[in-house]
Amino acid sequence: MANIRLEHVYKSYGEQQVLADVSLEIDDGEMFALLGPSGSGKTTLLRLIAGLEAPSAGKVIFNNADFTHVSAQRRKAIIVFQDYALFPHLTVWQNIAFGLRAGGVPRVALESKVHDILGLVHLKDRQHSLPGELSGGQKQRVALARACVLEPRVLLLDEPFSNLDTGLRQSMRDFVAALQERLRFTCILVTHDKEEAFMMSRRVAVIVDSRLQQVDTPEAIFTQPLTKKLSDFLGEANYLDGRVQGGNFYCALGIFAVNAPDSANAVGRFRWDQLALTREAGPHQGRVAAKSYAGKATYYTVTIERGHTLNVFSARHDFFVGEEIFLEVLPSAVNVY
Amino acid sequence: MQEKSPLLKSCGKNTSCAGRLYATWRPYILVAPLVTFMGLTFVLALGSAVLQSLGFVPGAAANVLTLRFYREVLLESDFLTSLSYTIYIALVATLLSNLLGVMVAFVMLSMGQRPKWQRLLYQVPIVIPHLVVIVLVFHLFSQTGVASRLAYWLGCITHPNQFPLLVFDRLGIGIVLVYLYKQVPFATMIVAGTLENISARFKEVAYNLGAGRLQLCTQILLPLLMPTILSVFLITFAFTFGAFEVPFLIGTPAWNTLPVKAFFYYMRPDLTYRASSMVINVLITVISLGFAIAYGHILALIQRQTEGGER
């Protein structure tokens, strides 16, 4: 287990900058998520931590020791790859034992460790199977076992659930969370799925366009994204132009107290779930222009006065297209950029 | 009532039926000319060879089918010598070329990205005809060749006769050299492509798990490379086993490989020897087919072991 610290890390491939000035600290034994869209640089950051890439500038520090130039073999920062990358010609047992053998672990200790981890991932009955004979969930458990058996300083999970179908994905998330809780290793989860990042970790770092946008709790990132880029990535928000004056944001939906400096050209962010539709008279009248049923909730597109179009995410399914309705804005709903 | 085939079932209206039929059969129609040509050539040639080996040689007025020629060829005193010599040449050339090809592929991998002209450098010998390589080897390694003169000039030998016999020699060194020149680049080209793919996928995984280069090579890359190496082995062995011109031109006069022996039979004025020639050709074909079948079984076994049943 280790405390991981990145100090002003940059990475470029020729002219193309992939990471710019990334600094963050991950606590010993923490379950931490790196969130960002595809191509944002989060996997590169993971590879820098694992030692599979060298930073163009900056430092990678494990437990206060500079590991920037330590080889991948000696870092014990083990990646569970997105496609699991199991060795196809080795059995489950041999795959799990591979790293221990490479590290010269004596035979008796090796067998004991493999035996224990096989039990932990519930794969004792498949230990003689080849990866090609396993299901997606089983393959992932082998990949996790292969990494965990080495008692890594840090376990790096690269989009580990993206190849699994919906039902299996949730059970594997629970499985990984329980495993991390039990073994208490430092764990970094890379994902583009914000729900996954929020559910699995206590702190999340969001990278957009090669830059770290915010490091915070899932709640803070969801409710108070610091940058417009981060807000755009999180999505599911309406933007209304307005102005900030004396701690208030003035826009088409009204006046809202905000903690922002005065600005004549401000943009207010209203999340879809912070707007509510009602048939009872209210300050903002509108009309349902479109509706999409999505199971637990329904997405509505509503036009209000002065031609503004807003999206609303509602648990109520009973409004119909063309219906005249009223719009309510929940208190403390606005973020201003 | 007979059930319609899925193809006929799918035909709704007559107008679309022809189009769907064409779409279904289009790939087969497109490859039909080539397959017909290749198939007919192979079947007719092999059929003719088998018939002639059984004594059906019209010009020789020996039109009774018999196994006499098989018996005669197999019982000949030098048949086993020729067979052994052919297998020896094919095995040595194939093993060495495969070994060197794999080694070069690993060296190239360790060198990383190379300019295109460097990759072309090892691919050029593949397109040079065998006859040209024979001339090259003869001029380089015969007792009056460049190597011999160089050794003389350096004072290593005092007479060309002292230079070791590398061409027309009993060990078939000249023949093997020609095959190495042609087959090492071929083996390298095939193996390097697969090796790059395997390495790209598993090198980082192995390093990340703490493995060194030796463990990566011996435990991951080489085992995963085995089907490819086996393929190259079969192709190069089958080619060398049935090749005629190299042993004919620079082989030892003492022993003939089977293809050379077949050629000499074929060229005899007495047409009944055509049957003996065809017996040898049929035997070469049968042995090559045996290798192909064995290869298929081994490959399937390896694939079962390495991949299992993909889900």
Side-chain angles (χ1 to χ4, degrees), chain A residues 262-285:
Chain A
D262 287 359
S263 167
N265 296 306
V267 176
R269 171 186 186 258
F270 297 85
R271 288 201 323 270
W272 295 356
D273 61 311
Q274 289 180 307
L275 302 178
L277 301 186
T278 175
R279 293 192 172 101
E280 289 164 23
H284 305 293
Q285 193 172 9

Side-chain angles (χ1 to χ4, degrees), chain B residues 230 234 286-302:
Chain B
L230 261 177
L234 177 85
V286 168
I287 292 169
S288 298
L289 275 175
F291 269 102
I293 292 166
Y295 159 77
H297 283 294
I298 294 167
L299 195 62
L301 191 72
I302 290 174

Side-chain angles (χ1 to χ4, degrees), chain A:
Chain A
M1 288 191 290
N3 161 285
I4 313 289
R5 202 163 75 241
L6 303 175
E7 289 183 358
H8 305 291
V9 168
Y10 289 79
K11 179 67 185 175
S12 303
Y13 297 107
E15 295 289 302
Q16 191 195 355
Q17 187 154 64
V18 183
L19 286 171
D21 197 16
V22 174
S23 295
L24 60 89
E25 185 161 1
I26 298 152
D27 295 332
D28 197 357
E30 183 179 7
M31 181 68 150
F32 188 86
L34 274 177
L35 176 66
S38 299
S40 58
K42 57 190 188 302
T43 296
T44 305
L45 192 60
L46 200 75
R47 292 170 61 79
L48 289 173
I49 296 170
L52 297 173
E53 305 265 1
S56 307
K59 285 182 179 174
V60 178
I61 292 166
F62 286 14
N63 287 337
N64 297 320
D66 189 351
F67 268 59
T68 313
H69 302 293
V70 172
S71 71
Q73 286 101 323
R74 291 182 49 222
R75 285 202 189 192
K76 289 187 86 173
I78 311 296
I79 300 183
V80 174
F81 290 88
Q82 187 173 1
D83 60 353
Y84 322 124
L86 301 177
F87 302 123
H89 61 299
L90 302 182
T91 63
V92 168
W93 199 97
Q94 290 166 331
N95 260 287
I96 294 172
F98 180 84
L100 295 171
R101 277 189 176 141
V105 174
R107 187 174 183 79
V108 177
L110 181 146
E111 285 180 354
S112 161
K113 279 170 186 275
V114 175
H115 184 264
D116 290 349
I117 202 83
L118 275 169
L120 205 60
V121 296
H122 314 300
L123 280 170
K124 271 188 182 162
D125 56 331
R126 303 310 304 265
Q127 60 180 305
H128 301 301
S129 302
L130 289 162
E133 297 165 343
L134 304 176
S135 67
Q138 288 170 331
K139 281 180 190 172
Q140 186 167 57
R141 278 185 277 150
V142 177
L144 279 167
R146 186 174 68 174
C148 292
V149 79
L150 297 175
E151 296 166 17
R153 286 192 176 94
V154 54
L155 183 71
L156 307 165
L157 306 171
D158 186 8
E159 306 264 9
F161 311 112
S162 58
N163 285 339
L164 302 175
D165 51 45
T166 315
L168 191 56
R169 193 177 301 163
Q170 187 50 48
S171 65
M172 283 311 296
R173 282 177 188 161
D174 294 342
F175 179 80
V176 171
L179 201 65
Q180 196 269 341
E181 192 69 29
R182 178 163 177 178
L183 301 178
R184 303 299 305 166
F185 44 70
T186 309
C187 186
I188 302 175
L189 166 73
V190 160
T191 179
H192 64 274
D193 182 341
K194 58 179 185 286
E195 202 174 285
E196 189 168 284
F198 293 164
M199 284 170 70
M200 291 202 65
S201 54
R202 289 183 196 143
R203 286 196 311 144
V204 178
V206 189
I207 300 177
V208 181
D209 288 347
S210 315
R211 286 184 179 273
L212 199 59
Q213 304 291 323
Q214 190 169 347
V215 184
D216 220 322
T217 60
E219 292 84 357
I221 285 174
F222 184 67
T223 58
Q224 299 290 327
L226 292 178
T227 65
K228 174 75 167 37
K229 275 185 182 174
L230 172 52
S231 172
D232 287 342
F233 166 66
L234 293 173
E236 300 189 347
N238 299 291
Y239 295 102
L240 286 173
D241 292 334
R243 64 190 162 83
V244 178
Q245 194 176 357
N248 286 319
F249 176 64
Y250 297 82
C251 69
L253 285 180
I255 303 166
F256 301 90
V258 292
N259 183 17
D262 287 359
S263 167
N265 296 306
V267 176
R269 171 186 186 258
F270 297 85
R271 288 201 323 270
W272 295 356
D273 61 311
Q274 289 180 307
L275 302 178
L277 301 186
T278 175
R279 293 192 172 101
E280 289 164 23
H284 305 293
Q285 193 172 9
R287 200 159 59 85
V288 176
K291 142 179 203 185
S292 300
Y293 178 74
K296 286 183 227 166
T298 295
Y299 292 91
Y300 294 98
T301 304
V302 177
T303 51
I304 59 167
E305 58 263 37
R306 283 184 267 172
H308 288 293
T309 301
L310 300 169
N311 291 314
V312 179
F313 186 57
S314 173
R316 287 182 63 175
H317 308 285
D318 57 332
F319 301 103
F320 54 87
V321 175
E323 185 179 356
E324 296 290 333
I325 46 83
F326 293 92
L327 195 68
E328 284 180 354
V329 183
L330 301 179
S332 308
V334 66
N335 308 116
V336 175
Y337 305 106

Side-chain angles (χ1 to χ4, degrees), chain A residues 47 77 79 83 88-89 130 132, chain B residues 201 204 208 219 305-307 309:
Chain A
R47 292 170 61 79
I79 300 183
D83 60 353
H89 61 299
L130 289 162
Chain B
R201 184 159 163 68
E204 288 187 343
N208 186 241
Q219 291 176 36
Q305 281 176 351
T306 56
E307 290 161 18

